[in-house]
């Protein structure tokens, strides 16, 4: 098979030509035209052997937590140390709002001007599954182009944190230093995804940050995610979720943050979980897309479209058991398909 | 349509004939024979208008927490107050072990001997989805027979807590009074399902139970599930997850437990969430069974069976992007079905 036009430029030397090729490749991946999709799949298969050699860092936190400031400070910190940094986003709300995060590159002005960084706003293709798929694919393209740190950001709409954790080697949750009663912004289940909780803006109120750190550490222990340092059953080979403070605005604590990330990576690579997690994520991604495709075909099938509304109404009215309804609709779908 | 032979006996007067009809109906529902399934669906549709008039209480907790003792004490407490109590179980491990919970009725000897109680072990039909479906259906049968309290128990294997929470009006998590470092048995995400956390065996160590209660309350607040009592933004119409202590063995605190359950029920019925949650659960159940059915047909299709192993290997080896793999397999499946 001849290599596609973009392939050589993407895996080639860094520079303006590579940047253009990356942008065009991602645009191709985001296209909904069937012929584009076919070309995109072929290109993706070519690029794949060149991808994967990066650390994938998922970062989320509510608006106001200082995510952009943190990512910009971290990006500049990493670039100074010889890394190439790609910043991607999963924001399922962007199809409505026209891009609520990373739509405006001036948000990370210094980082976006540096040629060792590549910043791409969230795709705006509708469903979370669709948006996440495009971001996962864009991640592979950036890796093939030699970016060795890929940061995936989410503003936390719908299930986007789970989607981002599912494409990250390490998932970081940013928090503000006002723990306890006011921390109701943490969504159900998100705390349990975190490998590392970072209390940002710790410089504003040191006492509050310290209280928040203690409270979060205690909750992580209660949730079984973090062991007490002197706990005898502590397993040295298993990563335990950590909590730390820093100030992204003052660029204070980035060295400690990066030390924790590096420790995590070394531990995971040493115990085999780094590669195993990626394989699990790949299989989960494949099955998620299969399930989404099956559901799409099912919902669009004439026999299902004809029956679904009425069946749903009967279920909601308590006249049809949900399992019976499912069996009826499946029989109609496969009857239709087998016909 | 003529009413089935079991229908009249199930919705009829309590007594030995009803008990036999319930047992036979549930056995029919659990059968994997296609003709049985058809008869079971017809019977379920007949019973459905008579179901629903119960409180569905999900209860989970790790082995050793005193689940059987708690459920038996609670069941006897409720029977004395004029209720009829059904106890069902979701235990996906029972197909392997031959029933690890509730397989042995002598476990709740006093309750199982009372004719106002009906105890049924977990179905052992393999997958969690299958086991949960049978239990959901059995719940409808018990409700049609006039049981006004249905307790669904899980031992917490796989995702069974989520399945049980998804069929309960109220989900209760039992805990031991040793919070903090030792509470690593709480699985990820389970604490966030709880409407009520019960610290059982509080009589063994009152100080530890009180510490555990404070720590769990603090974590629930951090997770945004429980507001501080004097928090100004506290929404009186929204249930906040609670933590309480009791001793099931000494039958101490059951009145407080039941008061909390009744308060929950009154609040949820008052704000409309009781009915809304059941409708959401019904739709989620229907779609869960549709997804399971689609995945089953997909995985069994000849074209998919022929390609799946090789495709999976290529994904795991990093030679095929998961999204590309999904598109290839879907094309083969629907090509196969359209052919």
């Amino acid at each position: 098979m001849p290599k596609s036009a973009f392939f050589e430029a993407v895996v080639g030397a860094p520079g303006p030509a590579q940047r253009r090729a990356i942008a065009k490749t991602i645009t191709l991946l985001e296209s909904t035209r069937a012929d584009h999709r076919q070309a995109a799949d072929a290109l993706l298969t070519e690029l794949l052997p060149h991808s994967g050699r990066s650390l994938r860092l998922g970062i989320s936190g509510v608006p106001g937590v200082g995510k952009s400031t943190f990512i910009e400070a971290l990006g500049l910190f990493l670039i100074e140390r010889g890394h190439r940094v790609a910043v991607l986003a999963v924001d399922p709300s962007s199809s409505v709002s026209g891009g609520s995060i990373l739509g405006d590159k001036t948000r990370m002005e210094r980082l976006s001007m540096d040629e060792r960084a590549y910043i791409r706003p969230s795709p705006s293709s509708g469903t979370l599954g669709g948006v996440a798929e495009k971001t996962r694919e864009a991640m592979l393209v950036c890796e093939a182009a030699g970016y060795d740190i890929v940061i995936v950001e989410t503003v936390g709409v719908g299930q986007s944190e789970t989607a981002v954790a599912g494409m990250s080697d390490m998932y970081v949750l940013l928090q503000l230093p006002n723990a306890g009663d006011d921390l109701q912004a943490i969504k159900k289940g998100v705390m349990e995804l975190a490998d590392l909780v970072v209390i940002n803006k710790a410089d504003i109120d040191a006492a509050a940050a310290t209280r928040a750190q203690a409270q979060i550490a205690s909750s992580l222990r209660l949730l079984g995610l973090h062991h007490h340092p002197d706990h005898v059953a502590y397993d040295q080979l298993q990563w335990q979720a950590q909590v730390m403070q820093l100030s992204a605005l003052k660029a204070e604590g980035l060295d400690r943050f990066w030390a924790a990330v590096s420790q995590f990576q070394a531990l995971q690579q040493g115990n085999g979980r780094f590669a195993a997690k990626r394989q699990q994520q790949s299989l989960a991604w494949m099955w998620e897309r299969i399930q989404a495709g099956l559901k799409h075909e099912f919902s669009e099938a004439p026999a299902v479209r004809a029956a679904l509304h009425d069946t749903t109404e009967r279920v909601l009215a308590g006249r049809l058991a949900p399992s019976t309804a499912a069996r009826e609709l499946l029989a109609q779908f496969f009857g239709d398909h087998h016909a």
Side-chain angles (χ1 to χ4, degrees), chain A residues 138-189:
Chain A
M139 186 167 72
L140 300 176
V141 176
C142 293
E143 288 177 347
Y147 289 89
D148 63 328
I149 310 285
V150 181
I151 296 172
V152 186
E153 178 188 10
T154 176
V155 74
V157 174
Q159 298 292 310
S160 62
E161 291 98 338
T162 309
V164 166
M167 67 180 81
S168 305
D169 300 316
M170 183 177 197
Y171 182 72
V172 177
L173 178 63
L174 295 193
Q175 285 287 294
L176 288 169
N178 53 341
D181 295 354
D182 297 327
L183 265 191
Q184 292 142 24
I186 305 180
K187 286 194 322 195
K188 276 194 182 188

Side-chain angles (χ1 to χ4, degrees), chain A residues 108-283:
Chain A
M108 296 184 193
E109 205 171 352
R110 286 177 60 204
L111 189 63
S112 64
M113 278 169 16
D114 196 299
E115 62 175 15
R116 292 163 295 180
Y118 183 83
I119 302 182
R120 177 96 186 179
S122 176
S124 52
S125 66
T127 67
L128 172 59
V131 171
E133 172 173 349
K134 302 307 176 197
T135 303
R136 281 176 181 277
E137 293 179 348
M139 186 167 72
L140 300 176
V141 176
C142 293
E143 288 177 347
Y147 289 89
D148 63 328
I149 310 285
V150 181
I151 296 172
V152 186
E153 178 188 10
T154 176
V155 74
V157 174
Q159 298 292 310
S160 62
E161 291 98 338
T162 309
V164 166
M167 67 180 81
S168 305
D169 300 316
M170 183 177 197
Y171 182 72
V172 177
L173 178 63
L174 295 193
Q175 285 287 294
L176 288 169
N178 53 341
D181 295 354
D182 297 327
L183 265 191
Q184 292 142 24
I186 305 180
K187 286 194 322 195
K188 276 194 182 188
V190 171
M191 183 65 87
E192 326 214 43
L193 299 170
D195 297 304
L196 184 60
V197 179
V198 169
I199 299 164
N200 190 21
K201 304 190 184 180
D203 54 312
I204 293 176
D205 186 341
T210 300
R211 279 199 307 275
Q213 181 168 5
Q215 194 161 8
I216 291 169
S218 163
S219 292
L220 290 173
R221 276 198 294 277
L222 187 72
L223 294 168
L225 304 174
H226 174 73
H227 294 216
H228 199 275
D230 55 22
H231 194 284
V232 285
Y234 183 89
D235 181 349
Q236 300 286 347
L237 292 176
Q238 289 262 101
W239 176 258
Q240 305 295 331
Q242 310 284 332
V243 200
M244 64 181 348
Q245 308 174 27
L246 55 72
S247 167
L249 191 65
K250 297 193 173 179
E252 282 172 5
L254 288 171
D255 46 352
R256 279 183 294 111
F257 173 79
W258 197 247
V261 172
S262 303
Q263 193 200 347
F264 172 88
Q265 189 173 13
L267 196 65
Q268 295 285 92
Q269 286 175 336
N271 65 20
R273 283 174 174 257
F274 196 88
K277 187 174 178 181
R278 283 200 174 176
Q279 288 200 327
Q280 283 166 11
Q281 288 176 337
S282 289
L283 278 192

